[in-house]
């Protein structure tokens, strides 16, 4: 057993773990005045560290925040022990697993956390952190003030109870997996690795698949998942469980979870799905159930905040490049050829931006975050005409959410929504294709040959590439480790290259978008040499607001650094959103 200060009496070190724990509770109750405490094996003063979550007030809806010296903030995830007393713990089977027990650094220290922002100044506060993901070995670490046997003076020392424990017995685990929303490369890989991790790491043999998204909890039968069933599904696109949008009925879903005896729920989906997972978790916690709700973020648009990227994004960029290459070949092969490619990106233009940067053949990239206009000096049509005169061909990439404000107000589906609550978008690719044709028809200066390519559903349906397969595996394994350690109400995600557990409220508070004042967008502009397409009206309005002082300061929480990290170190009070 580890200790910083050796006890004065050897009889104390011979106590069993349970006896030592009892002795600690007995002594600590009589020594509440002691000011020295420990986090893990590191001493700190209670005045410097505080936990601001709702244990005292029993208001569990508030974020679980731990603060420390030098501006350290841990936005922690909920744990069973926050709201369920007297839980049993069990030996962690990983400590006896030959594949993992020999890896010295495989187990994660209980105090490990990952900073959200890694680019800092010398006088910057330590900032926001998230709990590092991974299997826990030392789950009871405490500062102990023990009385030496037979003496009247205290012998202070930190004692780590080296007990590799989890909060579920393998035989009692009844896990389920559900996929919701649109398709994305890597869904089957995540399903496979959750099943494999539960079976081969923790000896869990009861894993169910929920058929057809959220409504499958109460409207359909489950699918038994075993390593044999999921063995080669990662080689296929789509999801073997089926998916759907909508169908979220919190009471029915939680009732079904209770009725089926499920105690681990793994939910794979985008921002809307994670909002649903958050509501399910809150209802489960309200009922006091020992049920883990763990999310795995899935969005091909990469529009989930905080995390470095979503699984499937790398595959989407790679497949989008193929469409861009085809458009370039078509445009280059004819006189005044224009290749137009529409890519996914309802509100965020990450796929279009990264595919453009990767391709190097694109002359213009249009995304939702960067407004543009068509006619007049400095407009898109003028730029297209200039490029054709200079180069004889042109390739344009447009995200599906770009230019929606320019489409006709009379279009019927403008204010309609799909089952997930997303606004139905018009096909901006077809619309702008026709607009380009009409412009050159009116000008009568040159004949163009335009080819329009929409690879949207081809990209969504492919299996994940090697990079996303590895990433999906890490996400799935991290979620399982967190669930077995008793954490709940979290999303497993990559932050600054490290696997973390992120509380739901941080994932669902807003969408991740391209910051057009960021260096990455500047790199794209230098690659395509396209203009900003900012209209004279926008420039005049912008200057007027600045002169009058009426321009509102941008929310610092939306400012990101190169790698997508927030540029501010300010912690705001967040409330858990609902569907």
């Amino acid at each position: 057993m580890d200790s910083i200060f050796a006890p004065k009496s050897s009889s104390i070190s011979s106590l069993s773990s349970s006896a030592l724990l009892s002795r600690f509770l007995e002594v600590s109750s009589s020594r509440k005045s002691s000011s020295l405490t420990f986090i893990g094996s590191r001493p700190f003063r209670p005045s410097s560290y505080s936990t601001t979550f709702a244990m005292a007030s029993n208001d569990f809806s508030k974020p679980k925040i731990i603060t420390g010296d030098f501006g350290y903030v841990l936005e922690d995830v909920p744990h069973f022990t926050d709201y369920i007393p007297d839980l049993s713990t069990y030996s962690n089977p990983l400590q006896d697993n030959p594949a993992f027990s020999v890896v010295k650094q495989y187990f994660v220290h209980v105090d490990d956390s990952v900073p959200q922002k890694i680019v800092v100044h010398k006088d910057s506060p330590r900032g926001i952190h998230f709990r590092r993901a991974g299997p826990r070995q030392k789950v009871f670490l405490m500062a102990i003030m023990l009385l030496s046997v037979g003496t009247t003076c205290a012998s202070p020392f930190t004692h780590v109870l080296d007990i590799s424990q989890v909060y579920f017995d393998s035989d009692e685990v009844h896990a389920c997996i559900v996929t919701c929303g649109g398709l994305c490369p890597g869904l089957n890989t995540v399903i496979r690795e959750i099943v494999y991790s539960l079976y081969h790491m923790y000896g869990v043999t009861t894993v169910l698949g929920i058929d057809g998204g959220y409504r499958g909890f109460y409207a359909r039968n489950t699918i038994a998942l075993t390593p044999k069933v999921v063995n080669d599904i990662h080689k296929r696109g789509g999801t073997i469980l089926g998916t759907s949008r909508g169908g979220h009925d919190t009471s029915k879903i939680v009732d079904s979870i209770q009725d089926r005896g499920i105690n681990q729920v793994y939910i794979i989906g985008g921002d809307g799905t994670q909002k649903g997972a958050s509501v399910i978790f809150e209802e489960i916690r309200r009922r006091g159930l020992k049920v883990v709700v763990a999310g795995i973020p899935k969005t091909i648009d990469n529009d989930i905040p905080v995390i470095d990227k979503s699984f499937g994004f790398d595959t989407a960029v790679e497949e989008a490049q193929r469409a861009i290459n085809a458009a370039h070949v078509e445009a280059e092969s004819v006189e005044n050829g224009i290749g137009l490619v529409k890519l996914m990106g309802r509100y965020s233009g990450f796929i279009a931006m990264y595919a453009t940067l990767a391709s190097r053949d694109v002359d213009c990239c249009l995304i939702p975050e960067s407004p543009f206009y068509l006619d007049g000096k400095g407009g898109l049509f003028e730029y297209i005409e200039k490029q054709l005169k200079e180069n004889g061909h042109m390739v344009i990439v447009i995200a599906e959410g770009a230019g929606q404000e320019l489409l006709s107000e009379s279009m019927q589906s403008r204010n309609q929504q799909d089952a997930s609550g997303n606004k139905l978008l018009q096909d901006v690719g077809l619309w702008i294709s026709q607009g380009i044709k009409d412009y050159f028809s009116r000008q009568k200066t040159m004949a163009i040959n335009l080819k329009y390519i929409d690879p949207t559903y081809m990209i969504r349906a492919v299996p994940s590439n090697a990079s996303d397969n590895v990433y999906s595996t890490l996400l799935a394994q991290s979620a399982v480790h967190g669930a077995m350690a008793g954490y709940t109400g979290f999303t497993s995600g990559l932050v600054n290259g490290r696997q973390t557990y992120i509380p739901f409220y941080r994932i669902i508070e807003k969408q991740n978008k391209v910051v057009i004042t960021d260096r990455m967008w500047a790199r794209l502009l230098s690659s395509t040499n396209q203009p900003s397409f900012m209209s004279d009206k926008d420039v005049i309005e912008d200057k007027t607001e600045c002169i009058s002082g009426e321009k509102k300061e941008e929310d610092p929480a939306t400012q990101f650094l190169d790698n997508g990290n927030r540029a501010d170190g300010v912690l705001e009070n967040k409330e858990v959103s609902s569907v």
Side-chain angles (χ1 to χ4, degrees), residues 19-37:
L20 189 59
L21 180 58
S22 298
R23 181 68 171 143
F24 164 70
L25 295 174
E26 175 188 339
V27 174
S28 62
S29 64
S30 64
R31 292 185 170 267
K32 293 181 180 178
S33 61
S34 174
S35 62
L36 183 64
T37 323

Side-chain angles (χ1 to χ4, degrees), residues 78-93 110 136-141 163-173 202 263-264 290-292 480-488:
H79 192 273
F80 279 154
T81 54
D82 295 343
Y83 62 97
I84 303 178
D86 304 323
L87 281 172
S88 299
T89 57
Y90 307 90
S91 176
N92 190 337
V110 70
R136 265 54 184 172
Q137 184 176 31
K138 298 178 176 66
V139 296
F140 290 124
L141 290 93
I163 309 171
S164 299
Q165 291 182 327
V166 292
Y167 282 81
F168 290 95
D169 180 58
S170 300
D171 293 333
E172 76 167 315
V173 174
Y202 290 100
N263 49 24
Q264 290 187 11
K290 185 188 172 185
V291 178
V292 166
V480 170
H481 291 318
M484 295 300 292
Y487 294 109
T488 181

Side-chain angles (χ1 to χ4, degrees), residues 318 320-330 341 358-359 361 395 453:
E318 188 175 305
Q321 260 195 104
R322 302 182 196 278
I324 293 172
N325 291 340
H328 183 248
V329 170
E330 289 284 351
V341 180
S359 170
D361 289 328
V395 175
I453 299 175

Side-chain angles (χ1 to χ4, degrees), residues 247-378:
H248 190 282
D249 187 315
T250 306
S251 295
K252 287 184 178 180
I253 291 172
V254 178
D255 287 345
S256 174
I257 290 170
Q258 272 192 278
D259 293 343
R260 298 178 190 271
I262 293 170
N263 49 24
Q264 290 187 11
V265 182
Y266 297 93
I267 300 176
I268 310 169
D271 55 344
T273 301
Q274 300 302 312
K275 288 178 183 177
S278 176
V279 176
I280 291 170
F281 160 67
E282 293 297 337
E283 176 62 18
I284 284 173
R285 183 163 60 176
R286 188 188 68 79
R287 298 188 189 187
L289 304 178
K290 185 188 172 185
V291 178
V292 166
V293 180
I296 294 93
K298 175 233 61 166
T299 167
I300 202 168
D301 293 347
N302 201 40
D303 58 2
I304 289 181
V306 180
I307 62 176
D308 294 352
K309 64 178 179 179
S310 305
F311 75 84
F313 176 70
D314 282 353
T315 305
V317 171
E318 188 175 305
E319 291 298 314
Q321 260 195 104
R322 302 182 196 278
I324 293 172
N325 291 340
H328 183 248
V329 170
E330 289 284 351
E332 198 176 34
S333 299
V334 295
E335 185 179 5
N336 296 327
I338 300 175
L340 177 64
V341 180
K342 186 186 78 171
L343 297 176
M344 288 159 292
R346 178 179 291 273
Y347 304 113
S348 304
F350 287 102
I351 293 179
M353 180 174 72
Y354 277 85
T356 295
L357 281 168
S359 170
R360 319 302 295 186
D361 289 328
V362 178
D363 300 291
C364 183
C365 177
L366 304 172
I367 62 174
E369 296 89 339
S370 182
F372 63 94
Y373 66 105
L374 304 177
D375 295 293
K377 185 174 178 58

Side-chain angles (χ1 to χ4, degrees), residues 16 65 84 103 116 135-136 230 265 302 321 342 419 425 503 505 510 554:
S16 66
I65 308 297
I84 303 178
V103 182
Q116 182 179 3
R136 265 54 184 172
V230 301
V265 182
N302 201 40
Q321 260 195 104
K342 186 186 78 171
L425 303 180
Y505 71 87
K510 61 186 175 184
E554 290 188 44

Side-chain angles (χ1 to χ4, degrees), residues 136-156:
R136 265 54 184 172
Q137 184 176 31
K138 298 178 176 66
V139 296
F140 290 124
L141 290 93
M142 57 190 70
I144 301 179
M145 296 288 293
L146 289 178
L147 289 174
S148 298
V149 176
T151 67
T152 57
C153 62
S155 296

